């Protein structure tokens, strides 16, 4: 499972001009699910997302998590994070999970993050979405559950 985590002052998702979800200050997470991902990957990503210390404390040091600052999270499924461009110019998405299992694992990440009590917004799985954000910092972190060591 791969994720791009961005610290934001606000973010929203629209589909066909309709606002699907929006958050204030917190994290925008773009999430890609890979063949072979399991509940271990779900747990790892949910814990990392909620525990990343990328918000400033009173000394302007990145010491606080989104939980610590009372932030919100918007999680958007994005299979293109699994695009392989090592050969040629057109990405291959052969490592992306099948939609039914990808959607289930995506929903599981959203559920685990929301169990912390934070507001968690979602995109619409398999939709052509427009994601808008104001990146704060900018702070952008890449996570990959398969690169644990």
């Amino acid at each position: 499972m791969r994720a791009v985590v961005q610290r934001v002052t606000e973010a929203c998702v629209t589909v066909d001009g309709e606002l699907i979800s929006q958050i204030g200050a917190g994290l925008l997470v773009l999430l890609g699910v890979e063949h072979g991902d399991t509940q271990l990957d779900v747990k790892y990503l949910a814990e990392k997302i909620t525990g990343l210390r990328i918000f400033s404390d009173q000394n302007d040091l990145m010491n606080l998590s989104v939980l610590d600052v009372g932030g919100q999270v918007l999680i958007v499924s994005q299979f293109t994070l699994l695009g392989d461009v090592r050969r040629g110019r057109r990405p291959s998405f052969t490592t992306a999970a099948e939609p039914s299992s990808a959607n289930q694992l995506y929903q599981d990440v959203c559920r685990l993050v929301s169990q912390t009590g934070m507001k968690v917004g979602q995109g619409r799985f398999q939709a052509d979405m427009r994601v808008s954000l104001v990146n704060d910092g900018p702070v952008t972190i890449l996570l990959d559950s398969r690169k644990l060591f």
Side-chain angles (χ1 to χ4, degrees), residues 76-110:
V76 177
S77 176
Q78 187 174 350
F79 80 96
T80 59
L81 292 177
L82 287 301
D84 184 352
V85 292
R86 291 177 290 178
R87 291 184 157 162
R89 295 185 189 141
R90 191 171 86 185
S92 169
F93 300 106
T94 58
T95 63
E98 296 298 319
S100 61
S101 62
N103 187 30
Q104 182 59 57
L105 293 172
Y106 164 70
Q107 296 297 334
D108 290 345
V109 169
C110 294

PDB file of all heavy atoms in Angstrom, residues 76-110:
ATOM      1  N   VAL A  76      -8.267   9.767  -0.235  1.00  0.00           N
ATOM      2  CA  VAL A  76      -8.721   9.607  -1.613  1.00  0.00           C
ATOM      3  C   VAL A  76      -7.995   8.419  -2.237  1.00  0.00           C
ATOM      4  O   VAL A  76      -6.766   8.364  -2.229  1.00  0.00           O
ATOM      5  CB  VAL A  76      -8.432  10.894  -2.427  1.00  0.00           C
ATOM      6  CG1 VAL A  76      -8.826  10.716  -3.884  1.00  0.00           C
ATOM      7  CG2 VAL A  76      -9.132  12.089  -1.798  1.00  0.00           C
ATOM      8  N   SER A  77      -8.756   7.477  -2.767  1.00  0.00           N
ATOM      9  CA  SER A  77      -8.169   6.323  -3.448  1.00  0.00           C
ATOM     10  C   SER A  77      -7.528   6.788  -4.751  1.00  0.00           C
ATOM     11  O   SER A  77      -8.128   7.545  -5.515  1.00  0.00           O
ATOM     12  CB  SER A  77      -9.263   5.294  -3.743  1.00  0.00           C
ATOM     13  OG  SER A  77      -8.720   4.228  -4.475  1.00  0.00           O
ATOM     14  N   GLN A  78      -6.284   6.325  -4.990  1.00  0.00           N
ATOM     15  CA  GLN A  78      -5.582   6.731  -6.209  1.00  0.00           C
ATOM     16  C   GLN A  78      -4.670   5.606  -6.676  1.00  0.00           C
ATOM     17  O   GLN A  78      -3.505   5.521  -6.275  1.00  0.00           O
ATOM     18  CB  GLN A  78      -4.780   8.015  -5.983  1.00  0.00           C
ATOM     19  CG  GLN A  78      -4.201   8.535  -7.270  1.00  0.00           C
ATOM     20  CD  GLN A  78      -3.522   9.876  -7.109  1.00  0.00           C
ATOM     21  OE1 GLN A  78      -3.618  10.536  -6.090  1.00  0.00           O
ATOM     22  NE2 GLN A  78      -2.812  10.261  -8.151  1.00  0.00           N
ATOM     23  N   PHE A  79      -5.194   4.743  -7.561  1.00  0.00           N
ATOM     24  CA  PHE A  79      -4.423   3.601  -8.046  1.00  0.00           C
ATOM     25  C   PHE A  79      -3.201   4.017  -8.848  1.00  0.00           C
ATOM     26  O   PHE A  79      -2.237   3.255  -8.957  1.00  0.00           O
ATOM     27  CB  PHE A  79      -5.311   2.644  -8.855  1.00  0.00           C
ATOM     28  CG  PHE A  79      -5.553   3.076 -10.267  1.00  0.00           C
ATOM     29  CD1 PHE A  79      -4.771   2.580 -11.300  1.00  0.00           C
ATOM     30  CD2 PHE A  79      -6.564   3.980 -10.574  1.00  0.00           C
ATOM     31  CE1 PHE A  79      -4.984   2.969 -12.605  1.00  0.00           C
ATOM     32  CE2 PHE A  79      -6.782   4.380 -11.874  1.00  0.00           C
ATOM     33  CZ  PHE A  79      -6.002   3.876 -12.900  1.00  0.00           C
ATOM     34  N   THR A  80      -3.178   5.232  -9.379  1.00  0.00           N
ATOM     35  CA  THR A  80      -2.043   5.652 -10.200  1.00  0.00           C
ATOM     36  C   THR A  80      -0.750   5.771  -9.391  1.00  0.00           C
ATOM     37  O   THR A  80       0.328   5.856  -9.980  1.00  0.00           O
ATOM     38  CB  THR A  80      -2.325   6.981 -10.929  1.00  0.00           C
ATOM     39  OG1 THR A  80      -2.601   7.994  -9.964  1.00  0.00           O
ATOM     40  CG2 THR A  80      -3.500   6.836 -11.888  1.00  0.00           C
ATOM     41  N   LEU A  81      -0.841   5.746  -8.055  1.00  0.00           N
ATOM     42  CA  LEU A  81       0.379   5.721  -7.240  1.00  0.00           C
ATOM     43  C   LEU A  81       1.176   4.448  -7.479  1.00  0.00           C
ATOM     44  O   LEU A  81       2.353   4.385  -7.169  1.00  0.00           O
ATOM     45  CB  LEU A  81       0.038   5.819  -5.749  1.00  0.00           C
ATOM     46  CG  LEU A  81      -0.537   7.135  -5.271  1.00  0.00           C
ATOM     47  CD1 LEU A  81      -0.892   7.043  -3.792  1.00  0.00           C
ATOM     48  CD2 LEU A  81       0.454   8.258  -5.501  1.00  0.00           C
ATOM     49  N   LEU A  82       0.523   3.415  -8.032  1.00  0.00           N
ATOM     50  CA  LEU A  82       1.188   2.151  -8.302  1.00  0.00           C
ATOM     51  C   LEU A  82       1.737   2.089  -9.728  1.00  0.00           C
ATOM     52  O   LEU A  82       2.234   1.056 -10.148  1.00  0.00           O
ATOM     53  CB  LEU A  82       0.216   0.977  -8.094  1.00  0.00           C
ATOM     54  CG  LEU A  82      -0.143   0.649  -6.646  1.00  0.00           C
ATOM     55  CD1 LEU A  82       1.019   0.312  -5.812  1.00  0.00           C
ATOM     56  CD2 LEU A  82      -1.098   1.557  -6.013  1.00  0.00           C
ATOM     57  N   GLY A  83       1.670   3.194 -10.453  1.00  0.00           N
ATOM     58  CA  GLY A  83       2.161   3.218 -11.827  1.00  0.00           C
ATOM     59  C   GLY A  83       3.655   2.945 -11.903  1.00  0.00           C
ATOM     60  O   GLY A  83       4.451   3.548 -11.191  1.00  0.00           O
ATOM     61  N   ASP A  84       4.032   2.008 -12.749  1.00  0.00           N
ATOM     62  CA  ASP A  84       5.434   1.641 -12.957  1.00  0.00           C
ATOM     63  C   ASP A  84       5.884   2.222 -14.293  1.00  0.00           C
ATOM     64  O   ASP A  84       5.355   1.857 -15.344  1.00  0.00           O
ATOM     65  CB  ASP A  84       5.565   0.120 -12.953  1.00  0.00           C
ATOM     66  CG  ASP A  84       7.001  -0.357 -13.066  1.00  0.00           C
ATOM     67  OD1 ASP A  84       7.909   0.468 -13.299  1.00  0.00           O
ATOM     68  OD2 ASP A  84       7.222  -1.578 -12.930  1.00  0.00           O
ATOM     69  N   VAL A  85       6.863   3.126 -14.248  1.00  0.00           N
ATOM     70  CA  VAL A  85       7.336   3.762 -15.473  1.00  0.00           C
ATOM     71  C   VAL A  85       8.817   3.454 -15.729  1.00  0.00           C
ATOM     72  O   VAL A  85       9.491   4.204 -16.437  1.00  0.00           O
ATOM     73  CB  VAL A  85       7.101   5.294 -15.434  1.00  0.00           C
ATOM     74  CG1 VAL A  85       5.631   5.611 -15.483  1.00  0.00           C
ATOM     75  CG2 VAL A  85       7.753   5.922 -14.225  1.00  0.00           C
ATOM     76  N   ARG A  86       9.287   2.348 -15.184  1.00  0.00           N
ATOM     77  CA  ARG A  86      10.698   1.992 -15.408  1.00  0.00           C
ATOM     78  C   ARG A  86      10.977   1.668 -16.861  1.00  0.00           C
ATOM     79  O   ARG A  86      12.087   1.873 -17.337  1.00  0.00           O
ATOM     80  CB  ARG A  86      11.096   0.820 -14.521  1.00  0.00           C
ATOM     81  CG  ARG A  86      11.150   1.191 -13.040  1.00  0.00           C
ATOM     82  CD  ARG A  86      11.475   0.025 -12.182  1.00  0.00           C
ATOM     83  NE  ARG A  86      10.321  -0.880 -12.194  1.00  0.00           N
ATOM     84  CZ  ARG A  86      10.278  -2.043 -11.558  1.00  0.00           C
ATOM     85  NH1 ARG A  86      11.321  -2.448 -10.872  1.00  0.00           N
ATOM     86  NH2 ARG A  86       9.208  -2.786 -11.601  1.00  0.00           N
ATOM     87  N   ARG A  87       9.979   1.195 -17.585  1.00  0.00           N
ATOM     88  CA  ARG A  87      10.137   0.879 -19.006  1.00  0.00           C
ATOM     89  C   ARG A  87       9.168   1.742 -19.795  1.00  0.00           C
ATOM     90  O   ARG A  87       8.003   1.847 -19.451  1.00  0.00           O
ATOM     91  CB  ARG A  87       9.803  -0.581 -19.265  1.00  0.00           C
ATOM     92  CG  ARG A  87      10.788  -1.518 -18.693  1.00  0.00           C
ATOM     93  CD  ARG A  87      10.405  -2.904 -19.109  1.00  0.00           C
ATOM     94  NE  ARG A  87      11.573  -3.761 -19.056  1.00  0.00           N
ATOM     95  CZ  ARG A  87      11.500  -5.054 -19.032  1.00  0.00           C
ATOM     96  NH1 ARG A  87      10.328  -5.661 -19.073  1.00  0.00           N
ATOM     97  NH2 ARG A  87      12.593  -5.776 -18.988  1.00  0.00           N
ATOM     98  N   GLY A  88       9.659   2.331 -20.840  1.00  0.00           N
ATOM     99  CA  GLY A  88       8.796   3.128 -21.703  1.00  0.00           C
ATOM    100  C   GLY A  88       8.308   4.400 -21.031  1.00  0.00           C
ATOM    101  O   GLY A  88       8.853   4.846 -20.028  1.00  0.00           O
ATOM    102  N   ARG A  89       7.260   4.957 -21.611  1.00  0.00           N
ATOM    103  CA  ARG A  89       6.735   6.234 -21.124  1.00  0.00           C
ATOM    104  C   ARG A  89       5.318   6.135 -20.594  1.00  0.00           C
ATOM    105  O   ARG A  89       4.828   7.066 -19.973  1.00  0.00           O
ATOM    106  CB  ARG A  89       6.771   7.264 -22.250  1.00  0.00           C
ATOM    107  CG  ARG A  89       8.184   7.574 -22.663  1.00  0.00           C
ATOM    108  CD  ARG A  89       8.202   8.679 -23.679  1.00  0.00           C
ATOM    109  NE  ARG A  89       9.553   8.794 -24.205  1.00  0.00           N
ATOM    110  CZ  ARG A  89       9.837   9.040 -25.450  1.00  0.00           C
ATOM    111  NH1 ARG A  89       8.882   9.223 -26.326  1.00  0.00           N
ATOM    112  NH2 ARG A  89      11.082   9.119 -25.833  1.00  0.00           N
ATOM    113  N   ARG A  90       4.650   5.027 -20.913  1.00  0.00           N
ATOM    114  CA  ARG A  90       3.282   4.867 -20.429  1.00  0.00           C
ATOM    115  C   ARG A  90       3.295   4.000 -19.179  1.00  0.00           C
ATOM    116  O   ARG A  90       3.863   2.909 -19.178  1.00  0.00           O
ATOM    117  CB  ARG A  90       2.411   4.221 -21.502  1.00  0.00           C
ATOM    118  CG  ARG A  90       0.937   4.284 -21.153  1.00  0.00           C
ATOM    119  CD  ARG A  90       0.078   3.839 -22.288  1.00  0.00           C
ATOM    120  NE  ARG A  90      -0.026   2.391 -22.205  1.00  0.00           N
ATOM    121  CZ  ARG A  90      -0.629   1.645 -23.096  1.00  0.00           C
ATOM    122  NH1 ARG A  90      -1.146   2.186 -24.169  1.00  0.00           N
ATOM    123  NH2 ARG A  90      -0.696   0.352 -22.946  1.00  0.00           N
ATOM    124  N   PRO A  91       2.682   4.460 -18.090  1.00  0.00           N
ATOM    125  CA  PRO A  91       2.713   3.679 -16.852  1.00  0.00           C
ATOM    126  C   PRO A  91       1.987   2.349 -16.976  1.00  0.00           C
ATOM    127  O   PRO A  91       0.969   2.248 -17.662  1.00  0.00           O
ATOM    128  CB  PRO A  91       2.000   4.564 -15.837  1.00  0.00           C
ATOM    129  CG  PRO A  91       1.723   5.852 -16.500  1.00  0.00           C
ATOM    130  CD  PRO A  91       1.962   5.701 -17.951  1.00  0.00           C
ATOM    131  N   SER A  92       2.534   1.366 -16.292  1.00  0.00           N
ATOM    132  CA  SER A  92       1.884   0.064 -16.163  1.00  0.00           C
ATOM    133  C   SER A  92       1.287  -0.002 -14.765  1.00  0.00           C
ATOM    134  O   SER A  92       1.935   0.356 -13.782  1.00  0.00           O
ATOM    135  CB  SER A  92       2.916  -1.046 -16.341  1.00  0.00           C
ATOM    136  OG  SER A  92       2.360  -2.285 -15.962  1.00  0.00           O
ATOM    137  N   PHE A  93       0.067  -0.477 -14.678  1.00  0.00           N
ATOM    138  CA  PHE A  93      -0.618  -0.560 -13.389  1.00  0.00           C
ATOM    139  C   PHE A  93      -0.881  -2.004 -12.988  1.00  0.00           C
ATOM    140  O   PHE A  93      -1.820  -2.294 -12.256  1.00  0.00           O
ATOM    141  CB  PHE A  93      -1.931   0.229 -13.443  1.00  0.00           C
ATOM    142  CG  PHE A  93      -1.719   1.680 -13.758  1.00  0.00           C
ATOM    143  CD1 PHE A  93      -2.030   2.184 -15.012  1.00  0.00           C
ATOM    144  CD2 PHE A  93      -1.189   2.538 -12.811  1.00  0.00           C
ATOM    145  CE1 PHE A  93      -1.823   3.519 -15.312  1.00  0.00           C
ATOM    146  CE2 PHE A  93      -0.974   3.872 -13.095  1.00  0.00           C
ATOM    147  CZ  PHE A  93      -1.296   4.365 -14.349  1.00  0.00           C
ATOM    148  N   THR A  94      -0.019  -2.907 -13.436  1.00  0.00           N
ATOM    149  CA  THR A  94      -0.231  -4.332 -13.176  1.00  0.00           C
ATOM    150  C   THR A  94      -0.113  -4.702 -11.701  1.00  0.00           C
ATOM    151  O   THR A  94      -0.623  -5.734 -11.295  1.00  0.00           O
ATOM    152  CB  THR A  94       0.750  -5.198 -13.996  1.00  0.00           C
ATOM    153  OG1 THR A  94       2.082  -4.819 -13.661  1.00  0.00           O
ATOM    154  CG2 THR A  94       0.506  -5.044 -15.484  1.00  0.00           C
ATOM    155  N   THR A  95       0.540  -3.874 -10.896  1.00  0.00           N
ATOM    156  CA  THR A  95       0.659  -4.203  -9.478  1.00  0.00           C
ATOM    157  C   THR A  95      -0.509  -3.662  -8.647  1.00  0.00           C
ATOM    158  O   THR A  95      -0.623  -3.995  -7.464  1.00  0.00           O
ATOM    159  CB  THR A  95       1.979  -3.669  -8.879  1.00  0.00           C
ATOM    160  OG1 THR A  95       1.989  -2.251  -8.954  1.00  0.00           O
ATOM    161  CG2 THR A  95       3.183  -4.256  -9.606  1.00  0.00           C
ATOM    162  N   ALA A  96      -1.374  -2.858  -9.252  1.00  0.00           N
ATOM    163  CA  ALA A  96      -2.538  -2.337  -8.531  1.00  0.00           C
ATOM    164  C   ALA A  96      -3.523  -3.468  -8.258  1.00  0.00           C
ATOM    165  O   ALA A  96      -3.735  -4.346  -9.099  1.00  0.00           O
ATOM    166  CB  ALA A  96      -3.213  -1.229  -9.331  1.00  0.00           C
ATOM    167  N   ALA A  97      -4.118  -3.443  -7.088  1.00  0.00           N
ATOM    168  CA  ALA A  97      -5.089  -4.471  -6.710  1.00  0.00           C
ATOM    169  C   ALA A  97      -6.352  -4.353  -7.557  1.00  0.00           C
ATOM    170  O   ALA A  97      -6.676  -3.281  -8.077  1.00  0.00           O
ATOM    171  CB  ALA A  97      -5.430  -4.343  -5.230  1.00  0.00           C
ATOM    172  N   GLU A  98      -7.062  -5.472  -7.669  1.00  0.00           N
ATOM    173  CA  GLU A  98      -8.352  -5.475  -8.360  1.00  0.00           C
ATOM    174  C   GLU A  98      -9.308  -4.542  -7.617  1.00  0.00           C
ATOM    175  O   GLU A  98      -9.238  -4.431  -6.389  1.00  0.00           O
ATOM    176  CB  GLU A  98      -8.924  -6.891  -8.403  1.00  0.00           C
ATOM    177  CG  GLU A  98      -8.084  -7.866  -9.204  1.00  0.00           C
ATOM    178  CD  GLU A  98      -7.964  -7.468 -10.664  1.00  0.00           C
ATOM    179  OE1 GLU A  98      -8.978  -7.027 -11.262  1.00  0.00           O
ATOM    180  OE2 GLU A  98      -6.850  -7.575 -11.208  1.00  0.00           O
ATOM    181  N   PRO A  99     -10.207  -3.880  -8.331  1.00  0.00           N
ATOM    182  CA  PRO A  99     -11.073  -2.885  -7.698  1.00  0.00           C
ATOM    183  C   PRO A  99     -11.837  -3.368  -6.461  1.00  0.00           C
ATOM    184  O   PRO A  99     -11.910  -2.633  -5.475  1.00  0.00           O
ATOM    185  CB  PRO A  99     -12.037  -2.484  -8.823  1.00  0.00           C
ATOM    186  CG  PRO A  99     -11.246  -2.691 -10.063  1.00  0.00           C
ATOM    187  CD  PRO A  99     -10.410  -3.911  -9.784  1.00  0.00           C
ATOM    188  N   SER A 100     -12.386  -4.559  -6.471  1.00  0.00           N
ATOM    189  CA  SER A 100     -13.190  -4.981  -5.320  1.00  0.00           C
ATOM    190  C   SER A 100     -12.346  -5.120  -4.060  1.00  0.00           C
ATOM    191  O   SER A 100     -12.734  -4.645  -2.986  1.00  0.00           O
ATOM    192  CB  SER A 100     -13.929  -6.290  -5.612  1.00  0.00           C
ATOM    193  OG  SER A 100     -13.003  -7.321  -5.887  1.00  0.00           O
ATOM    194  N   SER A 101     -11.177  -5.738  -4.171  1.00  0.00           N
ATOM    195  CA  SER A 101     -10.327  -5.866  -2.978  1.00  0.00           C
ATOM    196  C   SER A 101      -9.687  -4.530  -2.619  1.00  0.00           C
ATOM    197  O   SER A 101      -9.526  -4.202  -1.442  1.00  0.00           O
ATOM    198  CB  SER A 101      -9.260  -6.951  -3.168  1.00  0.00           C
ATOM    199  OG  SER A 101      -8.400  -6.634  -4.228  1.00  0.00           O
ATOM    200  N   ALA A 102      -9.352  -3.713  -3.622  1.00  0.00           N
ATOM    201  CA  ALA A 102      -8.770  -2.394  -3.352  1.00  0.00           C
ATOM    202  C   ALA A 102      -9.764  -1.523  -2.596  1.00  0.00           C
ATOM    203  O   ALA A 102      -9.402  -0.858  -1.622  1.00  0.00           O
ATOM    204  CB  ALA A 102      -8.350  -1.725  -4.655  1.00  0.00           C
ATOM    205  N   ASN A 103     -11.013  -1.541  -3.023  1.00  0.00           N
ATOM    206  CA  ASN A 103     -12.028  -0.729  -2.359  1.00  0.00           C
ATOM    207  C   ASN A 103     -12.214  -1.178  -0.907  1.00  0.00           C
ATOM    208  O   ASN A 103     -12.325  -0.348  -0.011  1.00  0.00           O
ATOM    209  CB  ASN A 103     -13.351  -0.780  -3.106  1.00  0.00           C
ATOM    210  CG  ASN A 103     -14.364   0.179  -2.533  1.00  0.00           C
ATOM    211  OD1 ASN A 103     -14.026   1.236  -1.998  1.00  0.00           O
ATOM    212  ND2 ASN A 103     -15.632  -0.172  -2.637  1.00  0.00           N
ATOM    213  N   GLN A 104     -12.228  -2.478  -0.675  1.00  0.00           N
ATOM    214  CA  GLN A 104     -12.410  -2.977   0.691  1.00  0.00           C
ATOM    215  C   GLN A 104     -11.265  -2.511   1.597  1.00  0.00           C
ATOM    216  O   GLN A 104     -11.489  -2.040   2.706  1.00  0.00           O
ATOM    217  CB  GLN A 104     -12.512  -4.499   0.715  1.00  0.00           C
ATOM    218  CG  GLN A 104     -12.743  -5.062   2.100  1.00  0.00           C
ATOM    219  CD  GLN A 104     -14.025  -4.530   2.723  1.00  0.00           C
ATOM    220  OE1 GLN A 104     -15.103  -4.684   2.156  1.00  0.00           O
ATOM    221  NE2 GLN A 104     -13.928  -3.898   3.882  1.00  0.00           N
ATOM    222  N   LEU A 105     -10.020  -2.627   1.113  1.00  0.00           N
ATOM    223  CA  LEU A 105      -8.873  -2.213   1.923  1.00  0.00           C
ATOM    224  C   LEU A 105      -8.839  -0.696   2.105  1.00  0.00           C
ATOM    225  O   LEU A 105      -8.491  -0.200   3.186  1.00  0.00           O
ATOM    226  CB  LEU A 105      -7.579  -2.737   1.311  1.00  0.00           C
ATOM    227  CG  LEU A 105      -7.439  -4.271   1.351  1.00  0.00           C
ATOM    228  CD1 LEU A 105      -6.222  -4.727   0.553  1.00  0.00           C
ATOM    229  CD2 LEU A 105      -7.369  -4.784   2.779  1.00  0.00           C
ATOM    230  N   TYR A 106      -9.212   0.043   1.084  1.00  0.00           N
ATOM    231  CA  TYR A 106      -9.327   1.502   1.187  1.00  0.00           C
ATOM    232  C   TYR A 106     -10.346   1.875   2.266  1.00  0.00           C
ATOM    233  O   TYR A 106     -10.083   2.715   3.132  1.00  0.00           O
ATOM    234  CB  TYR A 106      -9.725   2.072  -0.183  1.00  0.00           C
ATOM    235  CG  TYR A 106     -10.250   3.479  -0.162  1.00  0.00           C
ATOM    236  CD1 TYR A 106      -9.419   4.561   0.111  1.00  0.00           C
ATOM    237  CD2 TYR A 106     -11.594   3.743  -0.433  1.00  0.00           C
ATOM    238  CE1 TYR A 106      -9.909   5.862   0.121  1.00  0.00           C
ATOM    239  CE2 TYR A 106     -12.084   5.035  -0.435  1.00  0.00           C
ATOM    240  CZ  TYR A 106     -11.242   6.090  -0.156  1.00  0.00           C
ATOM    241  OH  TYR A 106     -11.726   7.374  -0.144  1.00  0.00           O
ATOM    242  N   GLN A 107     -11.510   1.239   2.223  1.00  0.00           N
ATOM    243  CA  GLN A 107     -12.545   1.499   3.225  1.00  0.00           C
ATOM    244  C   GLN A 107     -12.057   1.132   4.625  1.00  0.00           C
ATOM    245  O   GLN A 107     -12.373   1.829   5.604  1.00  0.00           O
ATOM    246  CB  GLN A 107     -13.833   0.726   2.900  1.00  0.00           C
ATOM    247  CG  GLN A 107     -14.498   1.123   1.611  1.00  0.00           C
ATOM    248  CD  GLN A 107     -14.982   2.559   1.583  1.00  0.00           C
ATOM    249  OE1 GLN A 107     -15.277   3.149   2.623  1.00  0.00           O
ATOM    250  NE2 GLN A 107     -15.052   3.136   0.404  1.00  0.00           N
ATOM    251  N   ASP A 108     -11.277   0.062   4.729  1.00  0.00           N
ATOM    252  CA  ASP A 108     -10.741  -0.356   6.025  1.00  0.00           C
ATOM    253  C   ASP A 108      -9.789   0.685   6.598  1.00  0.00           C
ATOM    254  O   ASP A 108      -9.811   0.964   7.802  1.00  0.00           O
ATOM    255  CB  ASP A 108     -10.042  -1.712   5.910  1.00  0.00           C
ATOM    256  CG  ASP A 108     -11.014  -2.862   5.661  1.00  0.00           C
ATOM    257  OD1 ASP A 108     -12.242  -2.677   5.850  1.00  0.00           O
ATOM    258  OD2 ASP A 108     -10.538  -3.944   5.273  1.00  0.00           O
ATOM    259  N   VAL A 109      -8.940   1.278   5.751  1.00  0.00           N
ATOM    260  CA  VAL A 109      -8.046   2.347   6.214  1.00  0.00           C
ATOM    261  C   VAL A 109      -8.886   3.520   6.714  1.00  0.00           C
ATOM    262  O   VAL A 109      -8.644   4.049   7.802  1.00  0.00           O
ATOM    263  CB  VAL A 109      -7.070   2.797   5.106  1.00  0.00           C
ATOM    264  CG1 VAL A 109      -6.336   4.069   5.511  1.00  0.00           C
ATOM    265  CG2 VAL A 109      -6.077   1.696   4.772  1.00  0.00           C
ATOM    266  N   CYS A 110      -9.886   3.911   5.939  1.00  0.00           N
ATOM    267  CA  CYS A 110     -10.751   5.029   6.335  1.00  0.00           C
ATOM    268  C   CYS A 110     -11.429   4.734   7.670  1.00  0.00           C
ATOM    269  O   CYS A 110     -11.503   5.608   8.547  1.00  0.00           O
ATOM    270  CB  CYS A 110     -11.800   5.299   5.261  1.00  0.00           C
ATOM    271  SG  CYS A 110     -11.118   5.898   3.703  1.00  0.00           S
TER     272      CYS A 110
END
